[in-house]
Amino acid sequence: MTEQGVRRTADQVLALAPDAASRKAGSKLGAAGPWSGTGSGEGTVWGLCKGSGSRPYQTVVDLADATGPAYKCSCPSRKFPCKHALGLLLLWAADDGAVPGGAVPPDWAGQWLAGRRGRAEAGKARSERGPGAAPADPEAARRRAERRAERVTAGAAELEQRLADLLRGGLATAEQAGYGLWDETAARMVDAQAPGLAARVRELGAFAASGAGWPARLLEECALLHLLDQGWLRRDRLPDGLAATVRSRVGLPAAPDGPPVRDRWLVLAQYDSVDPKLTTRRIWLHGAGSGGTRLLLSYGAAGRAPELSLPVGLALEAEVTAYAGVGRTRAALGERFTAPEPAAFRPPGTTTAEAVARYGEALRDDPWLESVPVTLDRVVPVPDGDRWQLADAGTDTALPLTRAARSRPGLWRLVALSGGAPVTVFGECGHLGFTPLTAWPEGADEAVPLC
């Protein structure tokens, strides 16, 4: 323990990087050479990093922030954390005396820190009513919800007509039209305030260029889109849980529903997905007592990493509240009672065959579910032609890795970590295969991030 809490490992620091380029650049700054005026204290780490200009960059990291590490650097980078913040944390993680402890932050760091913590206290006071607090004008909120529902219904009806036109004209027309047909339809769904429908429609444009067998894949996706349309149009006849799932898939906002679960939550994985307008961070947690696996989502504007960040492999005691919907794993992080600290537990493992069966069962409740969280026990990464798969050490079954997983550096880290021996792997199992996110070598407690 230190005055900042648990000192992170190098892997845990690098897991905070917004992308591979930042991870590589930050690693180069994890040595004492370019740094001066470093120190740590009061839950903060700071330092001056020599750059290309005459003045060094002022870098400070608040490790005691309630939503995870917060960063400030005078460099012009728009990434959070920038390479200087990553390098400073790596220098601090080495614990070799390069970052003295028990110090008082300099003025430039202290002013930023005081401002942040003052705003955090004000925000905490404003949120004491809780997420379930009634809106200021319930009647106005009801009218807004009704108007939006009417627009979504009109959009869903229009989408049904366009899908019917596609089937009457033949799937070949989709190949001829290219992306234009679907981009225009997606724009109509945005106008209808149904972003979930818009996202699924936009993806249809890529099927015609996805290689052999694309008509079957396009037809499958159109069928799922038709099912979602019909679910919305007939939502009043659905069970409450399935109706909540349909509303969420269509893109209507939802609030956490149900009592909070206080538990010791292990941070299983954290990774970002980026599009031109939004960065989405996915954080997987596993409860030691409840046994549940929950997904936290955090968002950042284009070019900026989301604020919520948790160190992979550490555990914290906190309250987590699930969102409504049958079989959904998404949750909201509530009050935290402890700082993240090392943990010797992990989710119970399963076989590859059981993982596929678990995904199949989940599809009965949510036909649009792309994957489920799964921990595979004693699997070995093995090549399969130009692909890779995770093979059960004790059976003759295996799970193919997704194309996205095969293109990431994490695959080679997993292969090196295994060395031909069984490992435990947490990841997402779906119709496209398995995406490994975190691994534990046999006999080891420390988690190794793969993304």
Side-chain angles (χ1 to χ4, degrees):
M1 295 286 292
T2 70
E3 66 270 35
Q4 292 86 9
V6 175
R7 192 178 295 273
R8 289 161 170 77
T9 66
D11 281 338
Q12 290 163 353
V13 170
L14 293 175
L16 301 173
D19 51 41
S22 297
R23 191 177 299 117
K24 182 178 180 180
S27 298
K28 295 180 180 179
L29 294 175
W35 291 97
S36 62
T38 57
S40 62
E42 301 181 12
T44 313
V45 182
W46 62 86
L48 303 173
C49 186
K50 181 176 176 54
S52 57
S54 58
R55 302 183 63 179
Y57 295 123
Q58 298 174 337
T59 308
V60 56
V61 182
D62 181 6
L63 297 163
D65 188 89
T67 59
Y71 318 93
K72 172 68 174 178
C73 185
S74 60
C75 75
S77 174
R78 293 177 58 84
K79 296 181 180 180
F80 290 89
C82 67
K83 63 181 181 180
H84 305 102
L86 290 170
L88 178 61
L89 286 176
L90 288 172
L91 189 66
W92 173 70
D95 196 17
D96 58 1
V99 182
V104 177
D107 289 343
W108 57 267
Q111 291 173 3
W112 173 79
L113 184 64
R116 275 197 62 81
R117 295 184 179 175
R119 290 190 295 273
E121 287 298 323
K124 183 178 180 181
R126 288 193 300 270
S127 64
E128 285 181 349
R129 294 193 305 258
D137 187 345
E139 180 59 25
R142 183 189 64 80
R143 290 195 298 269
R144 286 195 299 270
E146 288 182 350
R147 288 195 296 269
R148 180 167 187 177
E150 291 172 358
R151 284 192 285 268
V152 174
T153 297
E158 180 179 344
L159 181 56
E160 282 290 277
Q161 184 60 52
R162 296 199 177 201
L163 290 175
D165 291 344
L166 172 66
L167 295 181
R168 278 195 297 268
L171 295 181
T173 59
E175 185 177 25
Q176 298 166 2
Y179 284 93
L181 168 66
W182 304 115
D183 285 344
E184 192 269 338
T185 305
R188 295 288 298 151
M189 296 304 104
V190 171
D191 293 341
Q193 292 187 292
L197 291 178
R200 298 188 77 92
V201 167
R202 197 172 289 113
E203 292 174 355
L204 297 180
F207 281 92
S210 63
W214 70 265
R217 293 192 292 274
L218 176 60
L219 187 60
E220 290 172 358
E221 191 61 29
C222 287
L224 285 173
L225 194 52
H226 166 69
L227 184 64
L228 183 55
D229 268 346
Q230 290 299 311
W232 171 261
L233 296 173
R234 305 181 186 187
R235 61 192 181 281
D236 294 339
R237 309 179 196 177
L238 300 178
D240 291 345
L242 184 55
T245 297
V246 168
R247 287 194 294 270
S248 174
R249 292 297 184 187
V250 166
L252 267 64
D257 181 50
V261 177
R262 180 169 176 171
D263 204 343
R264 189 162 179 247
W265 297 96
L266 174 66
V267 184
L268 290 174
Q270 174 178 292
Y271 68 95
D272 294 350
S273 57
V274 181
D275 65 33
K277 296 184 178 179
L278 190 69
T279 298
T280 302
R281 174 163 294 166
R282 298 166 67 90
I283 302 176
W284 285 105
L285 304 178
H286 177 77
S290 63
T293 301
R294 295 290 178 261
L295 174 66
L296 308 180
L297 294 181
S298 182
Y299 302 96
R304 290 185 174 272
E307 286 193 6
L308 180 60
S309 180
L310 296 175
V312 175
L314 301 188
L316 69 159
E317 186 174 347
E319 288 183 341
V320 166
T321 305
Y323 281 76
V326 177
R328 302 301 299 276
T329 57
R330 187 185 173 189
L333 182 63
E335 184 176 357
R336 304 186 197 184
F337 304 98
T338 65
E341 57 186 10
F345 70 96
R346 68 182 70 163
T350 188
T351 65
T352 56
E354 291 170 343
V356 173
R358 185 178 302 177
Y359 177 57
E361 292 171 0
L363 286 176
R364 293 184 303 184
D365 294 329
D366 184 354
W368 309 278
L369 188 64
E370 294 186 357
S371 62
V372 294
V374 171
T375 300
L376 299 176
D377 190 30
R378 291 183 55 77
V379 291
V380 182
V382 294
D384 178 25
D386 60 348
R387 302 182 180 183
W388 283 83
Q389 58 185 0
L390 293 178
D392 275 315
T395 70
D396 59 354
T397 60
L399 265 177
L401 297 188
T402 61
R403 179 181 298 180
R406 298 196 303 269
S407 64
R408 295 174 180 169
L411 169 61
W412 304 112
R413 179 179 291 190
L414 176 61
V415 172
L417 191 69
S418 165
V423 291
T424 298
V425 181
F426 169 78
E428 298 169 349
C429 179
H431 66 287
L432 297 177
F434 187 85
T435 301
L437 301 175
T438 308
W440 295 264
E442 198 162 39
D445 291 330
E446 185 174 323
V448 178
L450 303 174
C451 55

